[in-house]
Amino acid sequence: PMIGCTTAGEIARYGPRDGSVVVAALGGDGFVIGTAAAAGALADLRGAGARAAHCLPAAAGHPHRVVLLLTDGLASDQDEIIRGAYSVLGAGVPMVGGCAGDGLKMTRTFQFHGDRVLTDSVIAAGIASTGPLGIGAQHGWRAAGEPMLVTGSSPNRVDSLDNRPALDVFLERLGTEPGQLRPEDLPALALMHPIGLGRHRGEEQMRFITSADFTQRALFSTAQVPQGSLVWLMEADTSAVLAATTTACDASVAALGGSTPLGMLAFDCVARRGVLGEEGIKKEIQSLADAAGGAPLAGFYSYGEIARTHGMRGLHNYTLAILSVA
């Protein structure tokens, strides 16, 4: 079985690439793997997540399990996909993966299942293993400026902040006059300025602003920004992002309980690549390779990262999510 997707850049042991193909093979007596594709996801995101999650095999003697998800990075509320998968898997099965990209064109992404090329789909691989599986995730961004109250929103749309049009408030916070920005220039500007929102257990999540309604002055994001939430503009620098790489790697490997990694999959936000720059991403790949300890490394730069180990939520932005296999 083969699964995959288009990306915003590829990751392999010897460095990042663009416009290339990276392949990781997983198999042997220690693994039982099932795959699935749920097409037409936008019509029912939660249902698509549930249909894909049914691929997890009930393999006796393979106690360690995870579901790897690859989704359409331009679908509306990605959290709905994870909720659907959770409804099938329950709390005991973690999830990891990434949202497909299209090189920041923001027009269309593709997913692969066997010999099928799909779009608007959720692809899954249910992995059962005799050896442990470790997940780590960290972002390294921090809040900047005063908080803003979300006074109007719907599933992946923010209509107003502090009772004013969301797009105008967002641009003003960035020092840009609302009438000076062309719609086609917004993705590049927004990529480096996510919105952060607080979550329970002290966890702070971020939302990638994908586009805007320049008539009604609203913002669109990869997942819901609930009305009544306090949100902040977020910022990062090279040192903080690289430190987050180390933290995510350490957590992923530590979850193996002392076992040596056989391989590592990395799902890294394309915005982190923008912060690090060419030299920084080389350092990040080296950190990943060092954490893998000589084992194979593969992954891609994504439009959203999936790492659910507790609770129902598992969608991240501007984050590095890692799966280590032992």
Side-chain angles (χ1 to χ4, degrees):
M2 186 194 79
I3 66 168
C5 63
T6 53
T7 77
E10 300 78 50
I11 295 170
R13 181 170 183 81
Y14 300 106
R17 298 286 187 271
D18 286 295
S20 66
V21 176
V22 60
V23 177
L26 179 64
D29 293 338
F31 301 99
V32 179
I33 299 173
T35 66
L42 261 178
D44 182 6
L45 291 170
R46 188 174 295 202
R51 296 199 310 273
H54 279 293
C55 71
L56 180 65
H62 295 71
H64 305 282
R65 300 188 297 165
V66 67
V67 169
L68 191 157
L69 294 171
L70 303 176
T71 70
D72 184 343
L74 300 178
S76 56
D77 188 352
Q78 301 279 338
D79 262 332
E80 280 292 282
I81 296 172
I82 296 170
R83 292 186 189 105
Y86 183 91
S87 71
V88 172
L89 302 172
V93 179
M95 293 178 245
V96 71
C99 306
D102 65 347
L104 292 178
K105 296 182 182 70
M106 297 295 172
T107 54
R108 195 180 189 192
T109 75
F110 294 92
Q111 300 79 48
F112 316 137
H113 185 248
D115 61 357
R116 301 167 66 197
V117 179
L118 306 168
T119 191
D120 182 26
S121 68
V122 177
I123 307 296
I127 302 170
S129 171
T130 56
L133 304 162
I135 295 174
Q138 192 71 25
H139 58 73
W141 294 64
R142 56 181 176 267
E146 295 298 315
M148 299 168 284
L149 179 66
V150 180
T151 48
S153 72
S154 53
N156 68 314
R157 176 184 175 114
V158 182
D159 291 293
S160 61
L161 296 167
D162 294 334
N163 289 312
R164 296 181 54 220
L167 176 60
D168 294 346
V169 175
F170 180 71
L171 293 178
E172 287 174 9
R173 288 291 184 102
L174 297 177
T176 301
E177 291 294 330
Q180 293 180 347
L181 184 77
R182 299 179 303 173
E184 59 268 28
D185 295 332
L186 178 67
L189 176 65
L191 181 67
M192 303 304 293
H193 300 284
I195 286 178
L197 60 158
R199 292 294 185 194
H200 67 289
R201 299 185 183 181
E203 180 185 7
E204 195 170 52
Q205 291 194 334
M206 291 183 288
R207 292 293 177 254
F208 174 28
I209 301 302
T210 57
S211 60
D213 183 332
F214 276 74
T215 300
Q216 298 187 8
R217 317 302 292 173
L219 298 169
F220 293 96
S221 68
T222 50
Q224 187 175 19
V225 181
Q227 187 167 321
S229 300
L230 284 177
V231 298
W232 294 261
L233 289 185
M234 304 292 286
E235 63 182 14
D237 56 37
T238 299
S239 60
V241 171
L242 286 175
T245 299
T246 301
T247 301
C249 288
D250 290 348
S252 178
V253 174
L256 300 180
S259 297
T260 301
L262 296 176
M264 183 179 285
L265 296 177
F267 307 93
D268 200 358
C269 180
V270 63
R272 286 168 51 88
R273 185 177 184 178
V275 171
L276 291 173
E278 197 63 30
E279 291 305 311
I281 58 173
K282 291 178 181 177
K283 292 179 181 178
E284 180 177 57
I285 299 299
Q286 186 59 55
S287 293
L288 291 169
D290 291 345
L297 165 68
F300 66 91
Y301 292 98
S302 61
Y303 285 178
E305 300 73 51
I306 296 167
R308 194 218 69 80
T309 56
H310 60 268
M312 291 182 62
R313 297 185 181 275
L315 176 72
H316 304 265
N317 289 125
Y318 298 83
T319 295
L320 172 64
I322 299 172
L323 172 66
S324 293
V325 179

